[in-house]
Amino acid sequence: MRVLEERERVRNVVGQRLPRVDGWAKVSGRAQYTDDLTLPGMLFGKLVRSTHAHARLVSVRLERALQVPGVVAAITGRDVPVRYSVFPVGQDETALAVDRVRYVGEPVAALAAVDPYTAEEAARLVEVEYEPLPARMDLEEALRNPEPRIHDYGPFGNVHRLASLEFGDVEAGFAEADHVREDLFFYGGNTHAPLEPHSALAWWDPGARKLTVWTSHQGPHYLHRGLAKALGLEEHQVRVVVPAVGGGFGGKLDIFHHEVCAAKLSMLTGRPVKITLTREEVFYAHRGRHPELLRIRTGVKRDGRITAMHVEAYLDGGAYCSFGPATLLYAGTQQPVTYRIPHYRFQGVRVFTNKPPCGPKRGHGTPQARCALEVHLDKLSEDLGLDPVELRLRNLTGPNELTVNWLEITSNGLRACIEKVVEASGWRQRRGRLPYGRGLGFACSAYLTGAGGSIYYSDMPHSEVHLRVDRSGGVTVYTMATEIGQGSATAVATIVAEVLGLQPQDISLVTSDTDLTPIDLGSYSSRVTLMVGNAAYEAACRARDLLFDAVAERLQVPRSRLVARSRRIFDEANPEVGASFAQAAQWAEARFGCLATSGSYRPPQKLGTYKGSGVGPSPAYTFSACVAEVQADPETGEVKVERVWVAHDIGRALNPVLVEGQVEGSVHMALGEALMEEQAFRKELHRGPSWLDYKVPTVYEMPEVITFLVETDEPRAPFSAKEVGQGPLLCVVPAILNAIADALKVRVDEVPATPEKVLKALEEQRKGRTGRVGPTKVPPFSFPPPERVPRPQSWEEAAQPA
Amino acid sequence: MERAVRLKVNGQEHRVLVPPHRTLLEVLREDLGLVGTKHGCELGECGVCTVLVDGEPALSCLVLAHEVEGHEVTTVEGLATDGQLHPVQQAFVESGALQCGYCTPAMVLVTKALLDRVPEPSGEQVREAVAGVFCRCTGYVKILEAVQAAARRLREARA
Amino acid sequence: MLRLPAFQLLRPTTVAEATRMLAELGPQAAPLAGGTDLLPKMKRRQLQPRYLVSLRGLRELRGWSGSPEQGLVLRAGCTLAEVAAQPAVRSAYRALAEAVAVCSNPILHRMGTLGGNLCVDTRCTYYDQTEHWREALGWCMKAPGPRSPEEVPCRVAPGGSRCWAVSAGDGAPALIALGAKVRLVGARGERVLPLEDLYRDDGIRYLDKSPDELVVEVLLPPADGLRSTYRKVRRRGSLDFAALGVAAALRLDPDGTVTSCRLVLGGVASRPLVLEEVASLLVGQRLEQDVLERVSEVVHRAVHPMDNTDFTVLYRRRTAPVHVRRALQALAS
């Protein structure tokens, strides 16, 4: 009810184009990132890494390294043998390899020295003996060769996880269809490549028996738990502090080797130990986009309405669990959020391979399937002679619906988003009338505003905020919301400022310190604006209540007439009757004592009860649509993306500048994935772990970006503000692929759609074959029979004959 | 072989005892405590270590400290004057041209170098100026806007 | 952070002093100009010279002289940015201006030198990697690490006996097409030679000069109506090396007949590939459809890239004729 009231009021700061609260520190070079920190007596740590993709680790000899003057300590897997993983069911990683290495670059030893040169010199002297094992470098190879297993757990062979679910009856659904189409798509692996390499500074206090770790990380809470487990400490003995972070995108969410090792080395030496990864090592840390093969089969009526859909996903997980179980399920969750799919089957498998582990990257498991689906629907529309946009419109979900896979959609601006980009791009007038080589492509997508389930099961809040008003009128907010560039600090400050009638830069923020700030699960699944925002909103409203009570009493004004605005609290009917914020704070402190409030947030309970139903639910979903315009060169296969129109259902933009920035950044990352980024391997080695070889787009590749922010009413979000950090990326990748197809009349059903592949598709066409490059078959694999999940009542009722 | 090197950084003279193999990047960050200059690869590929040497952008990870004796080095810490941000810095904040902030010191410096040389740059010149620094957050869109906004601010200040 | 290995830095003040140092120190020393190629390779331990002979203090290597009518002399210590900024280069020797413009990125233009660009190390995706990576590979012929060179194969062509690292600089193809010569100064004297003779068809010993010889000058002949262009094929608009570089220079009669022609490809061999056959095919012809088609066939046959750069071998072979044709068409108009 409170949110509904707020919406009617005049907005002071929400919706305004204000500078971000951490802008001045960053632009002046004052913002401190982890590698900027030094402590007295600090040692420099270095990891020694495996040169084999798969091998038994026979021995690791530290003697020669330890003899180098200035080397203070060195460890191997035997010193930190506890298994851990950010995912409860995982628990398959150790800080250093114990008896087996599973990818080139996996750490096998760590040492600490008085200066970085000594550390590097000594690292060269660590003697490692390997007994090579056959390495499986892609999914097919790993499935074909179940022995020797990469891990000793998992259903069988190199299979890590399986999912097999059916909502309704797909065979019946296909039987009803007038047309059934099946397509294969391969989405290649890629990585986050944040500008700031990972870094951790650990300091063990032997007297207090307390470990403090400063680290460039997105999820201090999960790391906190993981470090305690890995190091055999109680959680209260560990403190995680996150300084400024130079980009994460999901790549800094795991529990990392360098973090545990820096901590262990500090515990052994009693001195601070810092480990900062080189750029090459960042590619080995990875935890990026799973390479994924998808098979989608859809049945439609003649008019385009979907009757059934079957999605099969094959995920190449790399060497360890990471967030893999969630990634696997995410491959199936979002399709029914954009389109009404009466009968839906999702089956997926995650397979281990001998490469750096894959994990969550912007979109986390949804981009691959979304891309495959949007390309598939384009082809379906061709089969039916329908405009691709029209096909979507005939199947769209709407607001306040329960999907066939039991996900609750509240606000839904997808139709408005589609209409916006269609109109702005001139789609209806131009598509089909452009000269050969120029094309328009369309796609839409949906994403979560925060995962409804936490990584480990608990019934506690997902986010808590403390707020303090001091007698100078200063407001301090304590939150574990972790600023990674996405603007979480500004979002929290904006919400609190709005409630208290202040400006965002009036709010002091204490963030991401497990000793000082109450829980927040972390910056992932785009949860911060909604979840931390709601908790902050609650804390701020409680503080405002105290202030209003005190002012009402002092000034004898009816409480219901008080407003907080422009750093004052005053009678809305007689604005000159009021007090400055600072005065109000003093009155309130005199009246009530310490002005400290808190707020918390717990997402709604999930509605599904099937296995895996914990992945997919969200308090609210965002929706995006995209039209991309490309100019392709049929002689060289080069594709230039000239213009991208993106419309995003943001609910309400807390700060449009920051929201636009996220959309534009998403376009950049989507472009990279669509056309040139590839975490590729050759001869068991990463093909190019550098900025030169890993192709992040430069300024010259960027198209013109035209952004539309669509507003919808989202009662579950603070001031209706939903996410924007991940949603927009999802529709841009397939829009580009569909645009290439429109431009050249050939299909590249693979990401990245490089010039080589485009040229190959054109060549196939010239030779009279299908102008297509892409997978032609799935590996021989049998999924277990699906768990049959009854559909929600609304679907059964809708299916009843009238 | 260590040698005392006189470095002029942000208008201040420093004397550091460093061997020839220490780069300007390392000396700035580790000997002079000027950590505003960032590092993302140390191979001259990402551009975030950019500083100005005699007003021109240079990748500090590929400059030997010994070789900048007698030259003027400007880092991001040297842009503000009298406690006020440089107009380029202000433009970046107001345009929303930074998110994680890691490329920002480099972006701000290449912008200053451009506008000192070309007060009214074309779109092409702006793109060229920032082409040496990667950004993973913004997609460069607001950075390009910020450069033009900074150019306008500087012209107005001069008028 | 990747850091340099220790070395001694020598700072001669004359070219004579520099060449003397290089002659005395032999393979333990390397000349240091802009450092944009040498220093990264040292950080990755591909090269570990114990002495760096800095060329930065050598005033004899700065500046330029001449004109398009007389011919241009560009000294090797000019930065790429300085070369690109010269009106004479931009108006009369366009291939050079265009090559420099697409070289690496604008910041590196101000650091890298003309001489350094011409002497840039050959490149290979198996070679331009860190020490750890190359150890995991098992080293390679060009950088054998702790193994002895004879026992380590070339990873691109393991059955062969030579290194296939690629000449990927932009300056060399452009200048060769323009008919440039270079002056080398060594401890024992100096010599002038056509630029193409500086390069050898070998990934390891890719320069035909002794270690003490320095490139001091690039000599461009009078422009005399020369039309020239340089096209670079790379995945992105900045930073990337050429997977293919096309330098074309020709003179046309008033009626469009080619009177002289040079075509040089970079990025496809261990040295810039001078396409003599194509050039002689074009002389006396006009740049019409049928002639260009024959050129395409010749180019396709002449180009044999190896799988050690960006883009697949097949792609580079397929598109080389396209880019050559486009370069020639650009010059015809």
Side-chain angles (χ1 to χ4, degrees):
Chain A
M1 277 331 286
R2 187 157 250 152
V3 179
L4 286 167
E5 284 165 13
E6 290 300 326
R7 232 184 345 277
E8 279 17 88
R9 302 179 122 209
V10 170
R11 291 284 148 260
N12 300 317
V13 295
V14 165
Q16 286 204 31
R17 301 181 75 88
L18 296 173
R20 57 191 298 138
V21 298
D22 54 350
W24 288 274
K26 286 173 174 171
V27 87
S28 61
R30 260 184 26 247
Q32 298 216 306
Y33 300 79
T34 305
D35 190 59
D36 299 336
L37 304 175
T38 53
L39 287 169
M42 188 173 83
L43 299 173
F44 295 83
K46 182 97 186 121
L47 296 175
V48 178
R49 294 178 178 267
S50 168
T51 49
H52 290 263
H54 196 196
R56 249 172 236 114
L57 193 58
V58 176
S59 68
V60 182
R61 309 272 305 263
L62 303 172
E63 294 85 4
R64 287 178 67 213
L66 285 166
Q67 275 158 23
V68 176
V71 173
V72 182
I75 52 175
T76 67
R78 299 203 194 294
D79 299 299
V80 255
V82 176
R83 287 181 164 200
Y84 60 83
S85 166
V86 70
F87 229 79
V89 296
Q91 309 306 308
D92 64 352
E93 288 197 70
T94 50
L96 296 168
V98 175
D99 48 24
R100 197 115 74 95
V101 291
R102 295 181 173 88
Y103 60 97
V104 171
E106 179 168 359
V108 299
L111 48 84
V114 295
D115 67 72
Y117 301 97
T118 305
E120 221 186 285
E121 184 199 331
R124 281 200 189 85
L125 297 175
V126 173
E127 293 164 308
V128 190
E129 206 188 322
Y130 301 94
E131 212 174 83
L133 293 167
R136 312 301 178 200
M137 298 309 290
D138 64 49
L139 181 139
E140 283 81 1
E141 201 187 342
L143 282 178
R144 235 180 9 249
N145 299 285
E147 297 291 334
R149 299 180 81 185
I150 294 172
H151 278 283
D152 299 322
Y153 77 99
F156 52 87
N158 292 313
V159 171
H160 171 215
R161 295 283 285 191
L162 288 162
S164 191
L165 297 162
E166 183 165 333
F167 306 89
D169 182 345
V170 283
E171 293 314 320
F174 283 125
E176 274 174 46
D178 294 323
H179 176 61
V180 177
R181 190 189 163 101
E182 178 178 297
D183 283 303
L184 296 179
F185 193 93
F186 178 69
Y187 202 107
N190 51 63
T191 193
H192 326 75
L195 255 308
E196 184 211 9
H198 302 56
S199 181
L201 170 58
W203 199 15
W204 171 250
D205 179 340
R209 299 199 64 71
K210 178 82 177 269
L211 172 75
T212 305
V213 180
W214 292 265
T215 174
S216 178
H217 202 274
Q218 302 176 224
H221 174 62
Y222 292 135
L223 179 63
H224 180 199
R225 288 163 51 96
L227 282 175
K229 174 163 195 215
L231 298 163
L233 296 171
E234 299 291 324
E235 282 180 32
H236 66 83
Q237 289 181 284
V238 178
R239 176 183 183 188
V240 175
V241 183
V242 180
V245 176
F249 313 106
K252 291 177 175 172
L253 196 59
D254 262 77
I255 298 154
F256 288 100
H257 306 278
H258 65 278
E259 291 165 327
V260 183
C261 288
K264 185 68 184 179
L265 287 165
S266 185
M267 289 170 76
L268 288 173
T269 61
R271 293 167 71 165
V273 175
K274 181 161 74 173
I275 300 182
T276 300
L277 299 190
T278 63
R279 179 55 47 183
E280 181 195 10
E281 291 181 293
V282 175
F283 285 97
Y284 299 145
H286 191 42
R287 319 284 153 154
R289 185 83 68 220
H290 286 64
E292 192 167 319
L293 174 65
L294 289 131
R295 172 157 69 175
I296 303 187
R297 187 158 58 106
T298 303
V300 288
K301 290 294 217 198
R302 222 174 311 276
D303 67 359
R305 275 176 301 123
I306 296 169
T307 61
M309 186 183 290
H310 178 191
V311 174
E312 257 175 41
Y314 300 79
L315 279 71
D316 177 339
Y320 288 93
C321 175
S322 180
F323 281 78
T327 320
L328 174 63
L329 290 166
Y330 275 125
T333 62
Q334 295 299 96
Q335 289 79 294
V337 177
T338 44
Y339 308 118
R340 294 197 180 117
I341 303 172
H343 301 278
Y344 181 60
R345 184 191 294 148
F346 169 68
Q347 295 177 302
V349 59
R350 185 180 192 264
V351 178
F352 288 123
T353 55
N354 291 113
K355 295 181 286 193
C358 298
K361 181 189 172 189
R362 205 172 198 172
H364 194 188
T366 65
Q368 301 95 319
R370 171 59 54 181
C371 188
L373 175 61
E374 295 297 311
V375 165
H376 170 68
L377 289 177
D378 242 40
K379 297 178 183 181
L380 257 175
S381 66
E382 266 172 52
D383 291 350
L384 297 172
L386 273 179
D387 179 301
V389 171
E390 193 54 40
L391 176 63
R392 290 359 185 251
L393 291 175
R394 293 185 186 179
N395 288 288
L396 284 191
T397 55
N400 304 310
E401 279 184 27
L402 191 54
T403 67
V404 75
N405 55 337
W406 292 86
L407 302 179
E408 230 191 318
I409 299 173
T410 48
S411 57
N412 182 338
L414 183 52
R415 186 168 293 269
C417 287
I418 293 174
E419 280 161 8
K420 265 266 165 344
V421 295
V422 163
E423 188 200 310
S425 61
W427 172 273
R428 295 206 162 89
Q429 300 78 21
R430 298 202 297 145
R431 192 166 184 274
R433 296 189 184 87
L434 296 168
Y436 181 70
R438 177 166 289 272
L440 291 175
F442 170 83
C444 53
S445 58
Y447 196 65
L448 299 78
T449 304
S454 63
I455 298 292
Y456 61 90
Y457 173 73
S458 99
D459 46 14
M460 292 181 281
H462 291 208
S463 194
E464 294 163 7
V465 167
H466 290 168
L467 187 151
R468 194 169 61 82
V469 181
D470 68 55
R471 53 184 77 169
S472 73
V475 175
T476 307
V477 174
Y478 301 79
T479 167
M480 214 182 283
T482 306
E483 173 65 67
I484 55 173
Q486 89 284 48
S488 62
T490 305
V492 171
T494 303
I495 289 168
V496 170
E498 180 67 45
V499 172
L500 296 178
L502 303 170
Q503 288 292 308
Q505 57 251 44
D506 298 338
I507 314 295
S508 294
L509 291 160
V510 174
T511 60
S512 304
D513 183 328
T514 60
D515 262 14
L516 299 179
T517 58
I519 208 82
D520 179 65
L521 295 183
S523 291
Y524 69 97
S525 74
S526 284
R527 46 184 301 291
V528 174
T529 294
L530 189 148
M531 299 205 190
V532 180
N534 274 325
Y537 179 82
E538 184 169 61
C541 286
R542 287 176 173 161
R544 188 179 57 185
D545 283 348
L546 296 172
L547 295 165
F548 277 17
D549 283 351
V551 171
E553 207 176 81
R554 287 274 181 149
L555 297 181
Q556 295 295 296
V557 170
R559 200 188 171 298
S560 57
R561 287 213 316 248
L562 286 176
V563 294
R565 201 180 303 151
S566 310
R567 300 187 175 101
R568 291 182 69 233
I569 294 175
F570 58 92
D571 180 346
E572 194 160 25
N574 305 299
E576 66 287 353
V577 176
S580 70
F581 190 86
Q583 177 68 85
Q586 287 162 23
W587 288 342
E589 190 176 337
R591 176 76 175 77
F592 298 109
C594 175
L595 297 177
T597 62
S598 58
S600 39
Y601 179 78
R602 205 184 318 240
Q605 290 276 38
K606 68 179 170 85
L607 298 177
T609 51
Y610 53 91
K611 185 161 188 289
S613 57
V615 170
S618 177
Y621 295 92
T622 61
F623 298 85
S624 323
C626 173
V627 171
E629 183 167 348
V630 307
Q631 180 65 50
D633 185 335
E635 285 193 297
T636 64
E638 287 165 311
V639 172
K640 178 90 179 81
V641 181
E642 292 196 344
R643 216 161 282 112
V644 171
W645 294 265
V646 181
H648 180 72
D649 165 18
I650 179 71
R652 177 158 304 157
L654 288 177
N655 183 325
V657 179
L658 269 61
V659 170
E660 287 160 14
Q662 288 298 302
V663 175
E664 290 151 7
S666 295
V667 170
H668 174 256
M669 201 168 262
L671 190 123
E673 296 199 21
L675 298 179
M676 56 187 74
E677 290 185 39
E678 205 171 358
Q679 174 96 338
F681 293 82
R682 182 177 60 171
K683 292 187 179 13
E684 301 179 5
L685 299 172
H686 192 297
R687 248 194 108 98
S690 69
W691 288 106
L692 182 59
D693 291 323
Y694 183 82
K695 309 292 182 184
V696 166
T698 68
V699 65
Y700 291 116
E701 279 69 61
M702 271 301 280
E704 186 190 346
V705 180
I706 300 120
T707 304
F708 298 100
L709 300 179
V710 168
E711 294 202 327
T712 53
D713 276 339
E714 178 46 66
R716 290 178 173 170
F719 299 107
S720 231
K722 297 194 286 186
E723 74 87 39
V724 68
Q726 297 185 74
L729 182 148
L730 311 178
C731 53
V732 177
V733 181
I736 292 174
L737 292 190
N738 287 336
I740 295 172
D742 186 49
L744 297 174
K745 315 300 179 224
V746 291
R747 277 280 175 190
V748 177
D749 289 336
E750 277 190 25
V751 151
T754 60
E756 293 110 304
K757 292 176 190 170
V758 172
L759 214 57
K760 178 118 206 289
L762 286 166
E763 197 184 312
E764 290 291 295
Q765 191 183 59
R766 259 197 309 274
K767 292 190 172 142
R769 299 198 278 264
T770 316
R772 173 185 182 264
V773 161
T776 49
K777 56 182 172 30
V778 295
F781 187 80
S782 303
F783 288 98
E787 176 186 344
R788 301 295 298 266
V789 182
R791 304 183 300 171
Q793 191 67 3
S794 44
W795 286 91
E796 298 301 339
E797 282 161 9
Q800 294 305 321
Chain B
M1 186 144 318
E2 286 187 345
R3 188 164 76 75
V5 176
R6 273 188 345 273
L7 288 180
K8 191 144 185 235
V9 183
N10 300 329
Q12 248 202 310
E13 281 248 346
H14 299 267
R15 222 162 156 272
V16 282
L17 202 62
V18 285
H21 60 267
R22 270 179 89 62
T23 60
L24 179 60
L25 170 71
E26 293 160 52
V27 171
L28 287 171
R29 287 180 60 82
E30 297 168 355
D31 295 78
L32 300 180
L34 291 167
V35 292
T37 304
K38 305 303 178 197
H39 63 103
C41 72
E42 306 92 51
L43 293 171
E45 294 170 358
C46 70
V48 298
C49 69
T50 301
V51 297
L52 301 182
V53 177
D54 297 331
E56 294 289 345
L59 300 177
S60 61
C61 70
L62 297 184
V63 174
L64 298 178
H66 281 215
E67 302 242 81
V68 280
E69 202 165 21
H71 296 271
E72 303 251 359
V73 176
T74 310
T75 69
V76 66
E77 290 97 336
L79 286 183
T81 44
D82 299 324
Q84 298 274 50
L85 287 182
H86 191 281
V88 169
Q89 291 170 306
Q90 281 170 20
F92 265 69
V93 176
E94 282 162 19
S95 303
L98 61 127
Q99 294 182 23
C100 82
Y102 204 70
C103 74
T104 306
M107 285 295 188
V108 161
L109 287 169
V110 297
T111 301
K112 177 190 189 308
L114 170 70
L115 297 179
D116 283 350
R117 225 177 359 103
V118 184
E120 282 191 54
S122 66
E124 201 39 57
Q125 285 172 311
V126 174
R127 253 195 302 277
E128 199 196 343
V130 306
V133 183
F134 276 109
C135 175
R136 198 51 167 150
C137 296
T138 65
Y140 308 101
V141 177
K142 292 195 188 316
I143 290 176
L144 298 175
E145 287 169 17
V147 177
Q148 294 292 14
R152 274 193 302 275
R153 269 179 173 266
L154 286 166
R155 286 199 295 273
E156 279 157 22
R158 274 193 286 270
Chain C
M1 229 202 247
L2 281 184
R3 297 170 194 262
L4 290 165
F7 58 85
Q8 286 203 54
L9 183 64
L10 304 172
R11 304 172 85 182
T13 52
T14 65
V15 169
E17 199 187 343
T19 58
R20 205 169 43 242
M21 286 173 175
L22 289 168
E24 275 164 17
L25 296 167
Q28 294 183 92
L32 173 70
T36 60
D37 189 46
L38 179 62
L39 296 183
K41 290 186 143 91
M42 287 175 68
K43 292 191 188 191
R44 287 189 295 237
R45 305 298 190 271
Q46 295 163 264
L47 300 166
Q48 292 191 72
R50 308 239 337 262
Y51 300 89
L52 293 192
V53 177
S54 173
L55 307 181
R56 296 182 92 137
L58 303 181
R59 279 201 229 101
E60 296 148 89
L61 295 184
R62 305 305 299 268
W64 59 283
S65 60
S67 69
E69 295 76 34
Q70 305 164 300
L72 222 52
V73 176
L74 301 166
R75 298 215 182 82
C78 291
T79 65
L80 297 175
E82 284 165 357
V83 171
Q86 288 173 38
V89 172
R90 287 148 83 133
S91 60
Y93 304 95
R94 288 198 64 84
L96 179 58
E98 289 174 3
V100 168
V102 293
C103 199
S104 63
N105 69 44
I107 303 178
L108 289 163
H109 287 175
R110 297 196 153 75
M111 301 169 71
T113 63
L114 181 60
N117 188 263
L118 293 180
C119 296
V120 74
D121 195 3
T122 51
R123 301 190 60 82
C124 171
T125 47
Y126 291 106
Y127 167 68
D128 289 298
Q129 304 285 358
T130 63
E131 197 180 11
H132 167 265
W133 193 101
R134 289 180 291 110
E135 185 187 346
L137 174 73
W139 313 103
C140 82
M141 193 190 283
K142 186 166 158 88
R147 302 175 68 180
S148 66
E150 305 79 51
E151 61 177 44
V152 190
C154 165
R155 296 297 171 182
V156 187
S161 57
R162 58 158 290 177
C163 165
W164 287 93
V166 171
S167 164
D170 301 299
L175 283 166
I176 293 172
L178 292 168
K181 292 188 158 74
V182 279
R183 182 191 315 278
L184 304 180
V185 173
R188 283 166 305 225
E190 59 175 69
R191 55 192 178 108
V192 175
L193 61 159
L195 180 57
E196 61 264 35
D197 292 346
L198 180 61
Y199 302 106
R200 299 179 74 249
D201 184 16
D202 183 62
I204 296 175
R205 280 172 311 280
Y206 51 95
L207 292 176
D208 198 2
K209 68 173 188 69
S210 58
D212 64 291
E213 286 186 291
L214 290 173
V215 173
V216 302
E217 270 173 2
V218 174
L219 307 158
L220 282 164
D224 191 22
L226 192 65
R227 301 163 178 238
S228 65
T229 188
Y230 180 77
R231 299 172 67 88
K232 180 168 183 169
V233 177
R234 55 179 174 176
R235 215 173 277 274
R236 298 176 292 188
S238 183
L239 189 64
D240 294 342
F241 283 89
L244 171 70
V246 177
L250 46 81
R251 291 187 178 82
L252 298 176
D253 254 349
D255 71 347
T257 307
V258 177
T259 55
S260 72
C261 172
R262 280 208 114 185
L263 203 58
V264 185
L265 300 187
V268 292
S270 297
R271 68 174 168 187
L273 190 65
V274 182
L275 296 178
E276 310 274 10
E277 197 186 334
V278 171
S280 49
L281 213 157
L282 286 173
V283 171
Q285 303 287 335
R286 293 171 60 187
L287 294 171
E288 277 157 5
Q289 179 81 342
D290 57 325
V291 174
L292 292 174
E293 262 164 40
R294 274 186 288 150
V295 165
S296 292
E297 284 161 34
V298 174
V299 170
H300 194 254
R301 273 186 280 117
V303 165
H304 304 285
M306 305 295 282
D307 187 20
N308 57 355
T309 67
D310 192 13
F311 289 109
T312 61
V313 166
L314 203 61
Y315 180 81
R316 284 148 72 210
R317 289 199 70 196
R318 279 255 152 47
T319 55
V322 175
H323 291 289
V324 168
R325 193 196 77 231
R326 290 181 178 180
L328 292 171
Q329 284 169 325
L331 293 181
S333 55

